[in-house]
Amino acid sequence: MGTARTTRRARLLAPRPGRRRCWWAETADADFVRYHDEEWGRPVHDDRLLFEMLTLEGAQAGLSWLTILHKRAGYRRAFANFDVQRVARFDARRRAALRRDSAIVRNRLKIDSTVSNARAFLAVKQEFGSFDRYLWAFVGGRPLVNCPRRGAVPARTALSDAISRDLTRRGFRFVGSTIIYAFLQGVGVVNDHTRDCFLCPRRATRGAGTGRRRRTVRPARGSE
């Protein structure tokens, strides 16, 4: 019964004619499609979810994002639903137990970095009031909407380089520029839905003299 239900859900979420998605989400995998349609590129301002996504992106290093998505529930159980204050208190015994937990990536460096990153995360909150305020200040509080062509999405940018350097300076680990750019895409600081994706924001323009200037950036229908 469970398998049949999963199969039906996959069919419902799979790409359909007339509704194109970013190339990486053109799959029948229900978790991948749901993540693309409901999370990727949508602005996140909740510190718990920001810590979760930062952790998951770091855990992905050397692996596929699909592997991490399939382990997401295990990560939430293992890391106290990403309660940053609780994770910051994980001691050596707790970390050793996590290295035996098959529901997550059992890599000592990644597990240890999640705990040390929780402590660094709390220090940022102490300084700025919230990690959300710290992060979004890099873009003036507004998402960067790129609408790239298919195949032209960068792996890193000057923005991810700057944030990566600052996080590293603050004691974070597994925060290289490529990891951080994926994080920025995931939490909507950067919107990289490609131009042929149904979730790519439409740029409305109007004539201004002999030229044209951008007027507003509106979400595509169904993305609100």
Side-chain angles (χ1 to χ4, degrees), residues 178-189:
T178 301
I179 290 173
I180 291 302
Y181 194 69
F183 168 68
L184 297 177
Q185 292 171 311
V187 301
V189 172

Side-chain angles (χ1 to χ4, degrees), residues 50-51 53-55 57-58 113 116-125 127-128 130-132 134-136 138 159-181 183-184:
L50 288 171
F51 178 59
M53 294 305 297
L54 188 63
T55 300
E57 291 292 355
S113 72
S116 61
N117 284 356
R119 295 166 183 164
F121 195 98
L122 288 175
V124 169
K125 291 184 66 170
E127 181 177 348
F128 292 89
S130 67
F131 191 84
D132 165 64
Y134 160 78
L135 178 66
W136 282 89
F138 281 94
L159 174 64
S160 65
D161 288 348
I163 296 176
S164 172
R165 284 193 301 268
D166 196 66
L167 289 173
T168 300
R169 180 178 65 82
R170 294 175 181 277
F172 287 82
R173 292 187 287 167
F174 284 93
V175 289
S177 186
T178 301
I179 290 173
I180 291 302
Y181 194 69
F183 168 68
L184 297 177

Side-chain angles (χ1 to χ4, degrees), residues 152-222:
V153 181
R156 61 187 289 180
T157 63
L159 174 64
S160 65
D161 288 348
I163 296 176
S164 172
R165 284 193 301 268
D166 196 66
L167 289 173
T168 300
R169 180 178 65 82
R170 294 175 181 277
F172 287 82
R173 292 187 287 167
F174 284 93
V175 289
S177 186
T178 301
I179 290 173
I180 291 302
Y181 194 69
F183 168 68
L184 297 177
Q185 292 171 311
V187 301
V189 172
V190 172
N191 187 321
D192 270 343
H193 283 288
T194 54
R195 296 178 187 181
D196 57 347
C197 175
F198 82 100
L199 287 172
C200 182
R202 295 190 299 273
R203 296 180 183 274
T205 59
R206 65 180 179 185
T210 58
R212 296 169 66 88
R213 71 180 178 88
R214 186 178 303 166
R215 184 181 180 186
T216 58
V217 177
R218 297 175 182 170
R221 182 171 298 174

Side-chain angles (χ1 to χ4, degrees), residues 82-100:
F82 292 100
D83 182 326
V84 67
Q85 291 186 327
R86 291 179 61 185
V87 175
R89 295 195 297 268
F90 280 14
D91 58 16
R93 180 178 297 181
R94 184 73 174 267
R95 297 197 300 273
L98 289 176
R99 292 200 294 273
R100 298 189 295 272

